[in-house]
Amino acid sequence: MKLSRTLLTTAAILALSLGSVQAKEVKKLGLAVANLQANFFNQIKQAVEAEAKTRGIEVITVDAKGDGPTQVNQVQDLLTQNIDALIYIPAGAAAATIPVKLAHQSNVPVINVDRNADGAPGDTFLATDSVASANAVCKYIIEKAGGKGNMVIIHGQKGTTPEVDRTKGCMEAVKANPGVKIVSEQWSNIWSQDEGFQIMQNMLQANPDVSIVFAQADALALGAAQAIKVANPSQKIALGGFDGDTAALEALKNGVFDVTATQQTQKMGRDAVANAVKIVGGEKVPPVQLLDATLTTKDNVAGFIANHP
């Protein structure tokens, strides 16, 4: 009996010591961002760095400036700097899988944020439920236009997770309203305000009777609003965006456009760090973690300007 107790005690001590050896701590994170010119990605970056600082974790941030091959090189460099985990926002769809595969070859876990890598997902994926949120935005602008009219869609970067999901969600709203006809769709390269302006100008020239516009990012919506103002059409145009960018929220307050979906960018950044710590420490996390966005109009925008989620 005494021998059995001794063996059990020894086994318990050994298990505890092995557990403490296996439980790793995060000391350094790599953060690979698609494009820091975009307010949305900047908000996530700031939240990641702020959360990491409170935990005593170093963050090395790289900006691909919208270029996939550049990002691949940047991630390769990050992996030589002994990072414990990679927080990854793909710069595009084409080369999105490569950084994930490189990281996993180096036994570095990957936390994908906003965009997943089709065919090579990260250890977890944090994003907004873009399907449901885009559906809500498109439903709102269709209702504002009286449930009918000619509609155009200014897409984000083709093939990226948010572009695909926002298209899906919006099309669900369009299909529920047979009086709505999509007369034009165009894709942007970097979701920028300049692109929104140019695309909307072209769309209005080809389709001057447009009454509904869904721009898949607030920067695109701001550009579209500028083009509509310049064109000065006789009809009212319902215009929706997506993201809840800080500048766009101010514009929404001033009636520049009608509605957006405000994403929880601060929470995304904090959760990315928290998930990195959990994964490195040996905890299991869900493969996909979707957050809600809030339909935001002139009526409720003030709260988001004062305190962005």
Side-chain angles (χ1 to χ4, degrees):
M1 180 68 76
K2 187 175 180 181
L3 178 60
S4 298
R5 285 177 183 166
T6 304
L7 288 171
L8 285 170
T9 303
T10 304
I13 292 170
L14 181 61
L16 285 171
S17 64
L18 284 173
S20 64
V21 169
Q22 291 169 351
K24 296 180 181 178
E25 292 185 0
V26 175
K27 296 180 180 179
K28 188 186 294 185
L29 286 172
L31 172 60
V33 185
N35 183 11
L36 285 176
Q37 288 181 307
N39 177 270
F40 172 73
F41 295 135
N42 250 312
Q43 289 186 53
I44 294 173
K45 168 189 175 287
Q46 290 164 12
V48 166
E49 291 175 347
E51 178 67 18
K53 186 176 181 180
T54 65
R55 294 172 179 260
I57 298 170
E58 179 187 354
V59 179
I60 305 172
T61 302
V62 292
D63 174 15
K65 298 181 180 177
D67 185 68
T70 295
Q71 191 170 57
V72 171
N73 291 334
Q74 290 175 335
V75 170
Q76 285 178 317
D77 183 57
L78 284 173
L79 293 171
T80 67
Q81 299 183 58
N82 298 317
I83 59 172
D84 298 301
L86 173 66
I87 298 173
Y88 174 41
I89 307 173
T97 63
I98 298 172
V100 178
K101 291 176 179 177
L102 290 171
H104 283 164
Q105 285 168 9
S106 299
N107 295 317
V108 172
V110 179
I111 296 86
N112 275 68
V113 180
D114 185 59
R115 305 173 177 185
N116 218 348
D118 190 25
D123 295 78
T124 191
F125 173 48
L126 307 173
T128 292
D129 187 344
S130 283
V131 175
S133 300
N135 182 285
V137 168
C138 287
K139 183 180 177 183
Y140 183 92
I141 54 178
I142 288 169
E143 287 178 355
K144 193 168 183 66
K148 60 182 179 180
N150 288 337
M151 180 175 181
V152 298
I153 299 177
I154 304 175
H155 291 262
Q157 190 177 18
K158 194 166 190 174
T160 56
T161 310
E163 185 273 321
V164 171
D165 287 350
R166 290 171 200 180
T167 301
K168 181 181 178 182
C170 185
M171 291 307 299
E172 289 174 357
V174 171
K175 288 174 184 175
N177 291 273
V180 174
K181 180 182 178 183
I182 294 180
V183 294
S184 183
E185 298 179 69
Q186 289 188 43
W187 281 258
S188 64
N189 291 315
I190 57 171
W191 311 73
S192 73
Q193 186 167 336
D194 286 346
E195 288 176 308
F197 178 78
Q198 292 165 2
I199 291 171
M200 192 71 237
Q201 268 195 327
N202 295 336
M203 286 177 161
L204 284 170
Q205 287 171 5
N207 303 279
D209 56 351
V210 164
S211 58
I212 308 166
V213 179
F214 176 44
Q216 291 187 344
D218 284 342
L220 294 171
L222 290 176
Q226 186 182 6
I228 292 167
K229 184 177 180 180
V230 170
N232 192 27
S234 57
Q235 77 277 17
K236 291 211 59 152
I237 297 178
L239 171 58
F242 201 109
D243 283 337
D245 284 352
T246 51
L249 293 176
E250 290 286 351
L252 188 64
K253 181 184 74 173
N254 295 326
V256 173
F257 66 115
D258 298 298
V259 63
T260 191
T262 301
Q263 301 196 71
Q264 299 183 66
T265 49
Q266 304 302 309
K267 180 170 172 53
M268 272 189 213
R270 293 193 301 269
D271 284 0
V273 176
N275 274 270
V277 170
K278 287 178 181 178
I279 293 167
V280 171
E283 291 185 48
K284 287 190 176 181
V285 299
V288 177
Q289 303 180 59
L290 297 182
L291 303 175
D292 293 328
T294 306
L295 193 73
T296 309
T297 65
K298 196 172 183 178
D299 294 335
N300 66 338
V301 70
F304 295 110
I305 292 172
N307 185 24
H308 203 289

